[in-house]
Amino acid sequence: MLFFSNMYHFMALNVVLAYIPLEISFHFKQVSNRLFILLGMLWLLFYPNAPYLFTDFFHLEKLSIYRGMNQVFILNLSDWFSFSLLTIGICVYGLFGMATIFTTLNECIRRNSLHKKWQEFFFLFLVTILSSVAIFVGRFDRLHSIHLFTKPVQTLKIIFFNWSFDKLLFIFLFTGLQLILLATIVGINKMKTIDTL
């Protein structure tokens, strides 16, 4: 994306941000309980960048390959290449990044932090809701994860004290979308398990 895409250079940063929770999750098993809590908080801070990628599909409107309802697709290979780069970045890093929620959940279970099934579902639901809030403020208030370090008070006010009906509806919609994507990840893993039997 950085070197070959004419339109989507900014996606290189978005993909790197979505990769960070994946990288953090690789180190969970090697650390002490105290360090795991710190890594878990850092993971939670960057996790929303993975599902956030799916909001980048609206950048497809910049491409010239589709010119309205009554016209056919245009064979502009440069734009189809940009389409491919955007789709690969969103789908691969979006889904891999989101799959880290299960890595984190399994590590919490292994460390006896979560003992019951309802706690596991609550963990998934809570992270998904918090992620939807972060996606809203990232997309519409233009906040990034880094703002929690550079402008912590102002950022927390925007995240938790600026509410509207549209914000609630968006959070509800994106929580549902994330839960469906997470169910898809679970389904793919179950299919792999069945194939190996």
Side-chain angles (χ1 to χ4, degrees), residues 139-150:
R139 180 52 69 199
F140 298 106
D141 295 322
R142 305 308 298 151
L143 291 179
H144 289 278
S145 303
I146 198 71
H147 285 123
L148 280 168
F149 300 106
T150 58

Side-chain angles (χ1 to χ4, degrees), residues 3 14 40 46 48 54 59 68 78 106 113-114 116 139 186:
F3 298 110
N14 289 3
F46 284 98
F54 290 95
H59 291 298
S78 173
N106 290 334
S113 301
L114 301 173
K116 298 182 178 172
R139 180 52 69 199
V186 169

Side-chain angles (χ1 to χ4, degrees), residues 19 39 96 141 168:
Y19 173 75
L39 271 181
F96 278 161
D141 295 322
L168 285 171

Side-chain angles (χ1 to χ4, degrees), residues 72-139:
V72 296
F73 285 95
I74 295 171
L75 185 58
N76 179 335
L77 290 179
S78 173
D79 277 6
W80 282 106
F81 181 68
S82 292
F83 167 85
S84 300
L85 284 177
L86 186 69
T87 303
I88 289 167
I90 290 171
C91 292
V92 171
Y93 284 95
L95 291 173
F96 278 161
M98 288 184 71
T100 63
I101 197 170
F102 297 111
T103 308
T104 310
L105 176 63
N106 290 334
E107 193 59 26
C108 288
I109 294 167
R110 190 180 77 81
R111 291 172 185 265
N112 294 319
S113 301
L114 301 173
H115 306 287
K116 298 182 178 172
K117 271 285 181 218
W118 72 265
Q119 293 173 327
E120 296 172 26
F121 286 115
F122 181 75
F123 173 85
L124 290 172
F125 194 64
L126 181 64
V127 170
T128 306
I129 288 175
L130 290 173
S131 180
S132 296
V133 172
I135 291 166
F136 181 90
V137 298
R139 180 52 69 199

Side-chain angles (χ1 to χ4, degrees), residues 173-187:
L173 175 69
F174 257 77
T175 298
L177 173 64
Q178 287 182 76
L179 290 172
I180 290 169
L181 290 171
L182 291 171
T184 303
I185 294 167
V186 169

